[in-house]
Every structure is written in structure tokens, then in C-alpha cells.
Amino acid sequence: MRSKMMGCREEHQSTHGSVLGGKPNHCVIYPPKSSIAAEELERRNNDWLNSSSSSSGTYRFVRTKVASDLMVQVGDFSFHLHKLAMVSKSGYLNRLVFAKRSEGHGHNGGSLKIVLDDLPGGTNTFESIVNFCYGFKVDVTATTIAPLYCAANFLEMSDDLHQGNLISKTEAFLSFAIFSSWKDTFKVLKSCESVSPWSKDLLIVKQCSDAIAWKASTDPKAFTLGQNSNGNLNVGESSDTWWFQDVSTLRIDHFIQVIESIKRKGVKPELVGSCIAHWTAKWFSGTTFVFDDPTIPKHLTQKLQRITIESLINMLPVEKKSVSCNFLLYLVKLGLKMQVNSELLSKLETRIASMLEQCCAQDLLVKNYGDKDTTYDVGIVIRVVKAYVLLALKNFRARLCIVGRLIDGYLTLVARDINLTVIDFKLLVDALPTTARSCDNNLYRAIDMYLKAHPSLIEEERASVCKAMEYHRLSEDARQHAMRNGRLPLKIVTEFMLLEQVKMARSVSATKSNINPRTTTQTIMKMNNKKCLEKGFIAPQKEIMLIRKEVENMKMQLNQLQMCKLKLQKQAQRSCIK
């Protein structure tokens, strides 16, 4: 039956795994005989006239001397046609013509005028419909079939009016184009962008999405993807991700439909998540949406960006490990910029927070793109860490120490950034409770790197940076390094030295008590003390007293230094005032 309705021939051309090249399958639709025909369609300025005189027109019709009695305006173009040829195949035009005549238009030999501003496909599609109504063959491809099918439905060109009408004939080739060729499926779907929402209501988008999903979940060798110059199938670098490139060319609304169809087909969540990340990387340059359409006002473009980001977040697979932490952080960054729904953003941050215990420091690196911004976005990491702390308060199994090491490792990666402010550095350090760190070695390393990269910090700022670091959580080597570190503020170095003296005093006291335990014989103690004095050793009590005196002297020196510093600051202020 299809052979009676149309003649179809396939034209194959070498491609390279993309839908952006090659000729689509080609079909010629042969309409039934028309009750009236013209020799050709002749264009004069923006008017299309049926003509009985010979000319060099592209389309040729049977000669007729019947005058035009119907003018159909589509956009800026007017078509001078015949009512009999058009209304015999279009229920919509039939009703419009009847309504016009009932209103008194078109009497006394006048021509009726009908305006079709909202016709799917516009002027080019209507030209094909005119050819069909006048009994001339119509050439269609995978690129033009969807608009033509939508226009045929719009004009109600069903078999109820005329056997073998345009709806049934276009529907046959549409199904063939969608399911026969991978690249033609995408050509059909891309052509639907200009005829929304008709293509959605007529389920063309759904058919294309289901076809793509079926092929994406099938062995790519089971159908034609297109061939390279050697005649071999192009299936991409990975047998699992070969379909990413073509799917990423789709507009967001069509991409959503395809992803939903792919999920229903049972494709692995990890592949779905990777595909969403691939699409995002293609359509977003940094934090800018790559949508070049100058006809759309700026505020609508911004709204489209916000809707796009919210759609991406909503379509993410819910399974664990289906999406990388780094990509989710990037979505948070985009969401903050475009001010997406706060509840949606909070859920996304909570999801990332639940992944932190399995992350490494590199996973948290999300680039900034402003000249004065830090290389990596620290703000989004601070938000996620705070979300993690809230989760940890409700979950006694939370492993704070793992996240503590993660954040200290992240700090060492961003500490050298000259644009990283003291406030952001301190916010990130303080985002975790003190119990999250059992050892401050990595924190000290990050602090030292930060102070080295920011030599212009004043004493108070350096002290603020070092505030979270504690002496007793540093290893012996780290303590020794800190006490000799000229970049640390004097207050911290002095404090560490005092604590080191106290530690030594305690150690000596503990050692002496172990060496000279109390016994029931006082004579042994006296003899031991006497021997110590003879050998030049000082009694433990005297040694402790000396250490205490040294500590007191150091405290006095520290107070003197503080007084000198205050005097110098006052003198500097007076000099500035003068």
C-alpha cells in the first residue's frame, strides 16, 4: 500500500558519526488527481500567482484558464489560488471559506482572502501543500517532513475528505525516517524546533525520543549510524558513549524527552549522568549559556537559562555515584548565578554533602571565570561543607575526620591563589567543628602556603588565619618548623615556644619521678640526692623552679614587645595625621 501512496528512495552519503552532515533519505509524494490545476506557480515580488502562460517557473501544473478566486496570505507572502483545489483537500480551509461566504465575502466574482499566520512551517511548507493540492508531486526529506506533517494536520487534510490525502502520506514517510536511520531521526527531531507545540502534540518528539532511546540502549552495529570513507561504522571511541555527541546537539526540551525515554529503557544511571554532563559542557561556556539568538530579548534569555539549569538538576538520576561530585558543584555554581529555585538548590547541596566522605580534594575544584575572581570557586565549597555539618549533626555515623582531611587537602590546593581573601580562607577553615581534625599538619601546611602567597597581610590578619591551628594537634616536626617559621605571627610563635617549654618541664618531671620513685627508706633518697649533687646534677625541684622562672621571663618579654608595638602604632598614626 505504501508503494501506491508514495515513492521513496534512500540516498546514503559518508558521515562521521554526527547528524550535521550528509543527505537525508528522500521521498517523493504523488498526490491524487486534482479537480483543477495550473501550469506553474509564478512569483511576483512577494506574491505567488497561478499562471496559464508559459514561463520559467520551477513547478509546472496542467494548463487552465480558470481565474483565481482565493488568496491565502502566509506571513509576508500571498498565494493566489483556487477554492476548489484547496478546500477539496483541507477541512480547515473549507470551514474558513464557508464562513467568509456566509459573511458576504467573495460575492460578485470577488476573491476571498484568508490569513494563515500561525501555519506550522510557514511559507515554504505551504508552497509544498499548494503543489500537492494542485496534483503535482512533492519532494520531502527527513528535514522537511515534520513541518509538512504538522501543517497537514493544521489544515485537516485527512482521508475523510479525500482518499490518499496529505496526512496519511506524510505520516508513512515520517515513521520510516524516524526508525530507519539514526541520523535521520535527529534531522526530524531538529526540524521539530520550528513547529512546536504541534510536533509535541502530534507525538513526533516522543516517537523520535523513543527511537533514539531504543538505539542508544542497543548494540550500535545493529542499525546504520553512517559509514566512513572505508565503509566501516562510526561508533565513537567508547561502545557505551557513542551516542553522546548527537544527543548533545538537541535543544533542552527535546533533550529532556530523550533522557526520560533513555531512563525508561533501563540505560545505566552512570551513563545517563555522563550524558547530562556532556550536554551541559556543550551548551555552557564557563557560566555562559551558548544560545545565540538575537531575536530573543535579554530577560527571556536569562529566564531560559534559569529554566534550563533547573531542568538539568531535576533530570539527574537519583542513584548514588551516577553523577560526579565535581559536576554537581558546577551545577550549584550555575544555579547560584541564575538564581534558581532555592529549595532545588538546597537539595542539590545536600546531595553533594552526602558524597563528601567519598570525594578527593580535586573533586572540589570548580573553576571561576572572572578576572578578579579566585581560580577556583571557594564559596560553593563553603556552602556544601556547611550542609555536611548539618547532616552530620543528625547522623551519628558521619565520619567528620575524613571530611576534615578532605577540606585541609582542598585548602592546600587553593592557598596559593592571590585572590583568595582572608575571610574566605577562614570561613572554609571554620566551616568544620574542631572535632573534625585530629591532626593539624595539613592545615598548618595550607596556612603556611597561604601566608607565603600573601606577604602583605598585617599581623592581625595573619593571627586570624592561624587561629584554628592548635599546638597539641601538630606533630613534633611540624611544631619545630612552626617555632622557626618567620611567616607566622609573633604571638603564635611565642605561644608555641611557651607550650613547648611546659611540655619539656612536664616530660622532665615525669622522667625524674620514674627514675627516683619514692621508697620506704628515706636514706636511699638522701644518698641518691647526694650522689646527684656530687656529679653536678641539679635536684628536680630546683630544675622545675628554673623552668618556671624562664617561662615568667618570656611572658614579661612578650608583654614588653606588645607595649613597644602599641607605642609604634600610635607614633605611626600621629605621623599620618600630621
Side-chain angles (χ1 to χ4, degrees), residues 269-274 316-324 351:
E270 294 83 358
L271 279 177
V272 176
S274 296
L316 291 171
V318 297
E319 291 81 0
K320 290 183 177 180
K321 298 182 180 180
S322 59
V323 190
S324 71
R351 178 172 180 175

Side-chain angles (χ1 to χ4, degrees), residues 99-361:
K100 290 280 185 181
R101 293 188 61 146
S102 299
E103 294 171 2
H105 298 285
H107 292 297
N108 303 322
S111 179
L112 283 174
K113 181 179 179 181
I114 294 175
V115 179
L116 299 176
D117 284 334
D118 50 355
L119 178 75
T123 304
N124 292 334
T125 300
F126 189 69
E127 182 184 338
S128 297
I129 290 171
V130 170
N131 291 333
F132 180 84
C133 290
Y134 277 90
F136 202 69
K137 67 180 182 180
V138 179
D139 291 327
V140 291
T141 66
T143 306
T144 60
I145 186 63
L148 186 59
Y149 178 67
C150 291
N153 278 273
F154 176 87
L155 294 173
E156 301 171 15
M157 301 177 73
S158 67
D159 285 1
D160 294 339
L161 283 176
H162 203 294
Q163 189 63 32
N165 212 342
L166 190 56
I167 289 179
S168 60
K169 293 195 172 185
T170 51
E171 187 174 23
F173 179 63
L174 181 63
S175 298
F176 172 77
I178 289 174
F179 290 100
S180 65
S181 167
W182 172 261
K183 64 186 179 67
D184 282 351
T185 306
F186 280 88
K187 287 183 180 293
V188 172
L189 189 52
K190 292 290 284 184
S191 69
C192 289
E193 294 178 1
S194 62
V195 288
S196 295
W198 277 91
S199 59
K200 184 177 180 181
D201 294 340
L202 293 172
L203 303 180
I204 304 175
V205 174
K206 186 180 184 303
Q207 290 180 52
C208 291
S209 300
D210 289 344
I212 293 169
W214 172 75
K215 293 170 184 177
S217 60
T218 308
D219 184 353
K221 295 180 182 178
F223 53 90
T224 302
L225 289 172
Q227 296 177 331
N228 59 25
S229 57
N230 299 322
N232 298 320
L233 289 176
N234 292 290
V235 294
E237 296 180 359
S238 170
S239 59
D240 290 330
T241 62
W242 60 268
W243 47 279
F244 283 14
Q245 181 182 353
D246 291 331
V247 171
S248 66
T249 64
L250 300 176
R251 201 173 66 180
I252 183 62
D253 52 339
H254 294 165
F255 180 66
I256 293 171
Q257 289 263 8
V258 169
I259 290 296
E260 292 303 319
S261 295
I262 286 173
K263 285 180 180 179
R264 288 194 295 270
K265 284 292 179 182
V267 174
K268 290 186 291 185
E270 294 83 358
L271 279 177
V272 176
S274 296
C275 182
I276 294 172
H278 189 89
W279 187 95
T280 307
K282 187 176 181 68
W283 284 81
F284 283 88
S285 175
T287 55
T288 305
F289 190 38
V290 184
F291 185 76
D292 187 15
D293 191 344
T295 62
I296 298 180
K298 185 177 180 180
H299 71 281
L300 290 180
T301 302
Q302 291 174 344
K303 184 178 180 180
L304 176 61
Q305 291 184 48
R306 185 172 64 254
I307 292 171
T308 299
I309 296 165
E310 290 177 349
S311 299
L312 289 172
I313 296 172
N314 281 320
M315 76 169 78
L316 291 171
V318 297
E319 291 81 0
K320 290 183 177 180
K321 298 182 180 180
S322 59
V323 190
S324 71
C325 177
N326 187 262
F327 176 60
L328 294 179
L329 282 168
Y330 179 61
L331 287 180
V332 170
K333 182 177 181 62
L334 293 177
L336 287 170
K337 181 182 178 183
M338 297 313 304
Q339 299 178 341
V340 301
N341 181 274
S342 57
E343 185 178 349
L344 191 64
L345 199 62
S346 179
K347 288 181 180 178
L348 183 59
E349 289 171 353
T350 302
R351 178 172 180 175
I352 302 169
S354 67
M355 300 168 63
L356 285 183
E357 293 177 4
Q358 290 79 41
C359 291
C360 64

Side-chain angles (χ1 to χ4, degrees), residues 548-564:
R548 286 177 178 172
K549 285 182 180 180
E550 287 180 9
V551 171
E552 291 297 327
N553 288 334
M554 291 184 72
K555 286 183 178 180
M556 289 176 63
Q557 291 174 6
L558 179 61
N559 289 332
Q560 288 174 1
L561 284 171
Q562 292 288 348
M563 293 297 294
C564 290

